[in-house]
Amino acid sequence: MNAEVKMMRTAAETQYSDALAALPGAEPVRALREKALRLFAEKGLPHRRVEEWKYTDLRVLLREMAPLAGKPDAAALTEAKKIDLLGNIGAREITFVNGAFVAELSNLKGLEKGLTISTLGDALKGDATLPQFLAGLNPGKYDAVYALNTAALNEGVVIDVAPGAQITKPIHIRHIVTGTSLVSVFGRVVVKVGKKAQATIIQSHAGPDAVAYQTNTVLQLSVADDAELDIVRVQAEGDKAIHLSMMVGAIGTDSRFKSFALSTGAAVSRHTVPFAYAGRNARALISGATLLRGKQHADMTLEVDHALPGGESRELFKTVLDDESRGVFQGLIVVRPDAQKTDGRMMSAALLLGDEAEMDNKPELEIFADDVQCAHGATTGALDDDLLFYLRARGIPKKEAESLLIQSFFGEAIEHIENEKIRDAMMKRAGHWLAARG
Amino acid sequence: MALLEVKDLHARVEEKEILRGLNLTINPGEVHAIMGPNGSGKSTLSYVLAGKDDYEVTGGSATLDGEDLLELEPDERAAKGLFLAFQYPIEIPGVASMTFLRTAVNSVRKKRGEEELSTPDFLRLVRERAKELNIKDDMLKRPVNVGFSGGEKKRNEILQMALLEPKMCVLDETDSGLDIDALKIVADGVNRLRAKNRGFLVITHYQRLLDHIVPDVVHVMARGKIVRTGGPELAHELEAKGYAGYENAA
């Protein structure tokens, strides 16, 4: 018998419970929120003895909850207007400032046929099934980030692509934090892509340096049969921020899903991707590049669940670690008994630039079917001296030679982005990171 | 003034002394060949000249145009005009050939106080030089040396040499792994670059390359130093008699 030690509630846990319980709210969200709060009160923040959080101990990293952000004022909007992470990529923008939807920084005019974009509040009025969808995660499964996000449900956006609609213009959801005070910001984004429909969504996060604000964002998606969805995520939070995020999704039969995440920001970040194959012969590519320096801590955790036959999954993650930064990659591929002919390949490669940098790679396979092809790999290494010498022998100075090699390292993940403008914007952002290497 | 002047050069790798008092003088316009048995230190000489880490110079000097080479970083040496054609050109996945070539050419031009080449000028130059070496566009579209055959890699080395316009070219076993046709293309490429202000040091184990790149001076290297110097006929003598007499010469 296990002796369960009841842990003392931390200051942050108490603050979350109090602050979120005090939020106003009407049904049907109220019931959802209360349930999530109860769950949180019971289970609390994860710590290193919780396997999935072994390397990112939130009890330690999140000592205090910052106060909930208020409505953005004029100064906040002025500041937000200056944020331009990606340049002109021809996207339709939806902007949240300090967690609140800002219509004047969003473009909801002339929506393509079949595309509906609503605030969470409006969507709830029209869609009786939404609360259940928002309840999300597999019942019985607890994730503190998800529970807190649900307990804070208020602002958000629902993007609905009707069956057959081909939305070629990317939709860019921007989460911007402004100001100099410590705030907590929550956000929920729902993306539903109907049968044979297609869409491209970008989600970006930005905020001021030197402010220890806290963000918690959940992107929930469902991709119907024969549909296609591309997700690109840019996490460029300020350098003191704590960023907690999830991308939770399920994809249907013969669907195609691609996601790429570029992470350069935040002092502490954790991105969790619970991802399910809900149909047959679905294909997904989940990739990312994480570029870290200083004492940054970034955790990327995937749980890819193959429940039905014929699924193909590719995971490719590149982490570059300078100085004393720390990277975590946890990748779990589950192949359930019915998921025959699953083809899964997962790779996590880390490039250590700093002598004090650390990478924790934990790829895992749990296979319960007998006719599958699954492989995983994890590498950690420094820049290759022979490659560097070759470049330098051709007149390329050391820093530039290193930059070429680092760029080629993370470029392999970025190359999977199909939209050329978005791909170039990602290379450019990653290039800024490189250029800032002293 | 001599173009390359190496005096009493001593160098070691880890604890092992490989170069043991090497002397070599190459004047502008001259082509010198260094031949010698395996393990005599030929490749070490090329790496020491180019400035590879792990090769520690313990004595002597090496100057290019009177300037101390050994004090310079590898990229500074390249900018001063030293070029090493590698025996085993390395594959660099993810770095596009054109990006690499352009970065190299413009880095060197910048350090030499020349203007960087515009994209159209650069492309024109690369196409011209590539054509002479029978390098197809398709090769240039790939990452550096990735998926290249042995011959393609060596031709790519000569292409880089042609683009960087060095003063002093060191060719380390450029003939290894080449069939006769590839050898001819490479030799023609080198011969086209021969000029009165440019020197060549051709390191080779076999004489056959020297039928195509005819040297002015041939040296025999053994146990870390030059043990004999002569004209092109020396290469033929070595081909006929082998290195047997030199293995223990030093």
Side-chain angles (χ1 to χ4, degrees), chain A residues 384-387 389-398 400 404-405 407-409 415, chain B residues 52 73-75 78 83-84 86 90-95 100 103-104 107 145 157 160:
Chain A
D384 185 313
D385 285 336
D386 289 333
L387 294 180
F389 177 62
Y390 189 84
L391 295 173
R392 296 185 72 196
R394 295 299 175 255
I396 302 174
K398 188 171 178 215
E400 247 176 282
L404 272 178
L405 295 179
Q407 205 173 330
S408 78
F409 177 79
E415 270 166 28
Chain B
K52 195 173 196 316
E73 294 292 321
D75 46 291
F83 184 92
L84 168 62
F86 285 76
I90 200 158
E91 297 189 4
I92 314 184
V95 177
F100 161 65
T103 310
S107 297
N145 289 329
E157 293 292 289
Q160 293 163 37

Side-chain angles (χ1 to χ4, degrees), chain A residues 194-390:
Chain A
K195 273 189 187 180
K196 296 194 177 168
Q198 185 269 325
T200 300
I201 309 281
I202 304 159
Q203 188 181 28
S204 70
H205 299 267
D209 279 341
V211 183
Y213 64 89
Q214 300 167 357
T215 57
N216 176 325
T217 315
V218 170
L219 169 64
Q220 249 185 305
L221 54 92
S222 80
V223 181
D225 296 353
D226 294 302
E228 281 187 32
L229 176 62
D230 285 89
I231 298 270
V232 175
R233 179 184 137 76
V234 184
Q235 190 269 91
E237 301 276 25
D239 59 8
K240 290 280 180 282
I242 296 182
H243 173 92
L244 302 173
S245 57
M246 293 182 90
M247 179 174 78
V248 189
I251 57 175
T253 296
D254 291 318
S255 62
R256 190 194 63 71
F257 175 75
K258 267 184 151 187
S259 87
F260 171 81
L262 177 68
S263 310
T264 55
V268 174
S269 65
R270 155 85 171 207
H271 185 55
T272 313
V273 182
F275 190 77
Y277 283 68
R280 293 164 175 257
N281 305 321
R283 286 180 296 145
L285 169 75
I286 304 175
S287 63
T290 302
L291 314 177
L292 304 172
R293 61 165 50 101
K295 292 184 181 224
Q296 280 180 294
H297 174 116
D299 179 333
M300 175 72 70
T301 295
L302 308 182
E303 296 156 30
V304 178
D305 188 344
H306 289 267
L308 290 166
E312 182 191 283
S313 73
R314 296 284 178 273
E315 291 83 28
L316 175 65
F317 283 84
K318 299 277 186 148
T319 310
V320 180
L321 302 110
D322 210 343
D323 305 324
E324 301 162 55
S325 57
R326 184 170 184 201
V328 177
F329 174 82
Q330 304 186 102
L332 169 65
I333 299 180
V334 179
V335 182
R336 298 193 184 276
D338 288 341
Q340 298 292 2
K341 306 281 180 198
T342 290
D343 176 357
R345 271 176 244 167
M346 178 165 62
M347 180 70 199
S348 165
L351 179 60
L352 295 176
L353 300 176
D355 291 340
E356 303 295 320
E358 179 183 327
M359 181 73 195
D360 297 295
N361 255 323
K362 197 176 80 180
E364 288 176 284
L365 296 175
E366 280 180 14
I367 301 175
F368 304 100
D370 53 15
D371 184 16
V372 301
Q373 281 194 8
C374 280
H376 65 66
T379 62
T380 302
L383 282 175
D384 185 313
D385 285 336
D386 289 333
L387 294 180
L388 271 178
F389 177 62
Y390 189 84

